[in-house]
Amino acid sequence: MTTLRLTVAQALVRFLARQYTERDGHRHRLVNACWGIFGHGNVAGIGQALREDPAALPFLQGRNEQAMVHAATAYARQSDRLRAQAVTTSIGPGATNLVTGAALATVNHLPVLLLPGDTFATRRADPVLQQLEVPYAGDLSVNDTLRPVSRYFDRVTRPEALIPAALQAMRVLTDPVDTGAVTLALPQDVQAEAYDWPPEFFAHRIWRVPRPAPDPDALAEAARALRAARRPLIVAGGGVHHSEAEDALRAFADATGIPVAATQAGKGALRHDHPADVGGIGHTGTATADTLARDADVVLGIGTRYTDFTTASATLFADPAVRFVNLNIAAFDAHKLAALPLVADAREGLTALTRALHGHRVDATYETGYATAKAAWERRVDAAYAAPDPAARPTQTQVLGALDAVVDDTDILVNAAGSLPGDLHRLWRARSRRQYHLEYGYSCMGYEIPAALGVALAAPGRPVWALVGDGTYLMNPTEIVTAVQEGAAFTLVLLQNHGFASIGGLSEQTGGERFGTDYRFRAADGTYTGAPLPVDLAANAASLGMRVLRAPTVGALRDALAEARGANRPTCVYVETETADTVPGAPSAQSWWDVPVAETATRPAAVAARLAYDQHAADRRRHL
């Protein structure tokens, strides 16, 4: 029998080059690049293999391991989970730095392949540099920290073990239900070991991504529930985007008149100007959507996990007789809230429901009512965006208004943490299916810059905006250097407000009085003096290779955004925002979020916060 003699690392690279996904007749290279930072544990294994056959798996040089995973994860999301990227690291801290990125990918059901180096399988050198010695178990390494945040984990301790491990890894990466971070831990001695591989291992392999149809009986029951509803509401989640079901959702809304509210992951499932689109739902939602949710008698959830931000910590859906119908490809999510489960691909399920409800439409007065409420909310958005004085310092919402004025359907916004997700969910007018790239399953500070890089690689030629506050910027700006190196032209909109704005506000609401949330000088008694720290983040971005446009006023901001949108290199628009309480900003939260407050306290702010907490908590319910 003819075999190919290659090292384990060389075999893995060759194998990955021949894996493809296919859905709806469209074929894609599954793993088409490998991010890496080299050290002992991967420099002489995976590193040598990538150098020997650079065409098989293009290499992208990262600066921070967590950031590399964020970039790869954003790439997969922008690619509708049909394309992915790999990440290789050394052993020790290089490997453990993957954990946060892996958790983010798995929480959001986004595929990424992690290839951390590992200690010697043969233990001929034991312990090695950076090895964690565990007295009670000789077969553990720091890579075991990746087990709980991976959808699949294997440690390849023998060359021949790579064959089943690699095949299982591809299965999980392409599974629309089980996908997430996949980890193949690679001991450094095994990576370099040669083996005689069967040629079949390197054959071109197509992994078809299925579109399961709904069960006929469940479909009929769902149709009956929706026909009987007087105040139905759709909650569109990220599964709509993953399934490319936007057209099917629009056809369903056009046919039935049922209003569509969106989670953070689902925003953009309908264009903002579609008559049935009522905006974001939940704690960061619009008044229109949240009022409809409180009164809804039937809720059709499509591709949503129903997190606490969506349900307002189980206080939002207030009708005593409310029922849920959940269309979801994952049975685990379809059964939430004691729902009638419709386990199916979102596009297939919506198409089938549209046929089953043929001729049915909600009452005209219901449509008129939510259309009137939607128009009223749009006026509130206009007010938040308005900046009548071009010489004034802009507020955060005015920054969004200025950006809204320069983008079109092709632009992509990336954000993840801070106060911006709330403002964006309530206010942003999404124009296209993948314009709104908000990572809010894990809400990871430091995601935005590497994610913008991943999005730019996945969607070359489209304007990409990373919206970042000062707190998030200080977490993880390193991939600016990679963007410069790769020539990935995205724009960083860097908002300086001198502290953790979101957590500062939450601290104030829960009796913490903004403790530990300001970026200001501290007095001897531990209080803040009010003087901002002499930190110049714009200069920092410039030192990392970005072109920087400073925008001290509303007028300068408008000019800078327009200039940056046409740039062909990584560009930063730096703006110090107005935070005074007297300046109008975004509308406040339209529903509650459960953050427990101290049950006993001496400071008046905490005592008052607990009283308010108890009042809201009384509205929690379990849907059974």
Side-chain angles (χ1 to χ4, degrees), residues 307-469:
T307 68
D308 60 343
F309 258 63
T310 298
T311 67
S313 299
T315 64
L316 185 57
F317 302 104
D319 188 287
V322 64
R323 297 179 60 194
F324 295 85
V325 177
N326 289 343
L327 168 57
N328 203 298
I329 199 167
F332 177 80
D333 292 316
H335 281 83
K336 288 179 177 176
L337 303 179
L340 166 64
L342 196 60
V343 181
D345 170 76
R347 194 188 74 179
E348 295 302 302
L350 280 167
T351 301
L353 270 176
T354 303
R355 288 195 297 264
L357 289 173
H358 180 69
H360 173 73
R361 193 171 183 87
V362 298
D363 189 85
T365 57
Y366 185 55
E367 285 191 79
T368 301
Y370 73 70
T372 300
K374 172 183 169 75
W377 184 262
E378 288 301 316
R379 291 191 290 273
R380 297 182 70 177
V381 175
D382 290 337
Y385 279 179
D389 183 1
R393 177 187 292 179
T395 65
Q396 182 166 284
T397 56
Q398 288 169 349
V399 172
L400 298 183
L403 185 59
D404 177 80
V406 302
V407 304
D408 62 25
D409 292 17
T410 63
D411 294 70
I412 303 169
L413 274 64
V414 181
N415 185 242
S419 57
L420 275 165
D423 289 352
L424 287 163
H425 198 207
R426 280 188 285 269
L427 304 177
W428 187 256
R429 292 161 169 158
R431 294 159 168 80
S432 57
R433 61 177 300 268
R434 280 296 188 193
Q435 179 172 90
Y436 189 84
H437 187 115
L438 210 304
E439 189 288 297
Y440 216 59
Y442 208 50
S443 187
C444 183
M445 294 178 70
Y447 173 82
E448 291 90 340
I449 292 173
L453 173 56
V455 170
L457 294 174
R462 293 184 63 176
V464 179
W465 306 83
L467 308 184
V468 175

Side-chain angles (χ1 to χ4, degrees), residues 90 132 174 293 469:
S90 63
L132 173 70
T174 58

Side-chain angles (χ1 to χ4, degrees), residues 133-508:
E133 293 187 271
V134 183
Y136 63 85
D139 63 343
L140 288 180
S141 80
V142 296
N143 283 340
D144 288 278
T145 61
L146 288 160
R147 288 182 183 270
V149 293
S150 298
R151 295 300 290 178
Y152 179 79
F153 179 99
D154 203 351
R155 178 176 284 111
V156 182
T157 57
R158 290 293 306 141
E160 57 268 36
L162 176 65
I163 296 176
L167 291 170
Q168 287 293 338
M170 299 304 104
R171 175 189 63 81
V172 176
L173 287 175
T174 58
D175 189 317
V177 176
D178 286 336
T179 196
V182 170
T183 300
L184 296 182
L186 302 171
Q188 57 179 316
D189 52 344
V190 176
Q191 287 184 47
E193 189 173 344
Y195 183 73
D196 293 320
W197 303 91
E200 294 80 6
F201 184 53
F202 306 111
H204 285 73
R205 195 178 301 268
I206 298 171
W207 300 85
R208 290 185 171 82
V209 180
R211 287 194 180 276
D215 173 77
D217 292 338
L219 176 66
E221 189 174 353
R224 284 194 294 272
L226 290 167
R227 283 184 179 276
R230 296 176 56 245
R231 299 177 304 279
L233 175 68
I234 293 169
V235 176
V240 176
H241 292 308
H242 297 328
S243 175
E244 299 178 273
E246 296 87 357
D247 288 346
L249 176 60
R250 184 176 63 252
F252 182 80
D254 288 342
T256 64
I258 299 176
V260 178
T263 69
Q264 285 280 18
K267 191 173 174 75
L270 286 185
R271 273 185 60 100
H272 72 93
D273 53 2
H274 189 282
D277 178 75
V278 293
I281 191 170
H283 178 63
T284 54
T286 69
T288 310
D290 285 358
T291 299
L292 289 168
R294 292 185 184 97
D295 295 337
D297 54 358
V298 173
V299 177
L300 172 61
I302 306 171
T304 177
R305 297 186 297 122
Y306 285 112
T307 68
D308 60 343
F309 258 63
T310 298
T311 67
S313 299
T315 64
L316 185 57
F317 302 104
D319 188 287
V322 64
R323 297 179 60 194
F324 295 85
V325 177
N326 289 343
L327 168 57
N328 203 298
I329 199 167
F332 177 80
D333 292 316
H335 281 83
K336 288 179 177 176
L337 303 179
L340 166 64
L342 196 60
V343 181
D345 170 76
R347 194 188 74 179
E348 295 302 302
L350 280 167
T351 301
L353 270 176
T354 303
R355 288 195 297 264
L357 289 173
H358 180 69
H360 173 73
R361 193 171 183 87
V362 298
D363 189 85
T365 57
Y366 185 55
E367 285 191 79
T368 301
Y370 73 70
T372 300
K374 172 183 169 75
W377 184 262
E378 288 301 316
R379 291 191 290 273
R380 297 182 70 177
V381 175
D382 290 337
Y385 279 179
D389 183 1
R393 177 187 292 179
T395 65
Q396 182 166 284
T397 56
Q398 288 169 349
V399 172
L400 298 183
L403 185 59
D404 177 80
V406 302
V407 304
D408 62 25
D409 292 17
T410 63
D411 294 70
I412 303 169
L413 274 64
V414 181
N415 185 242
S419 57
L420 275 165
D423 289 352
L424 287 163
H425 198 207
R426 280 188 285 269
L427 304 177
W428 187 256
R429 292 161 169 158
R431 294 159 168 80
S432 57
R433 61 177 300 268
R434 280 296 188 193
Q435 179 172 90
Y436 189 84
H437 187 115
L438 210 304
E439 189 288 297
Y440 216 59
Y442 208 50
S443 187
C444 183
M445 294 178 70
Y447 173 82
E448 291 90 340
I449 292 173
L453 173 56
V455 170
L457 294 174
R462 293 184 63 176
V464 179
W465 306 83
L467 308 184
V468 175
D470 52 345
T472 289
Y473 180 86
L474 288 168
M475 285 273 185
N476 197 10
T478 56
E479 265 19 65
I480 288 174
V481 177
T482 305
V484 172
Q485 183 178 33
E486 296 296 328
F490 70 85
T491 300
L492 166 64
V493 180
L494 178 52
L495 283 68
Q496 171 66 276
N497 55 25
H498 302 291
F500 297 118
S502 174
I503 295 303
L506 182 63
S507 173
E508 189 169 40

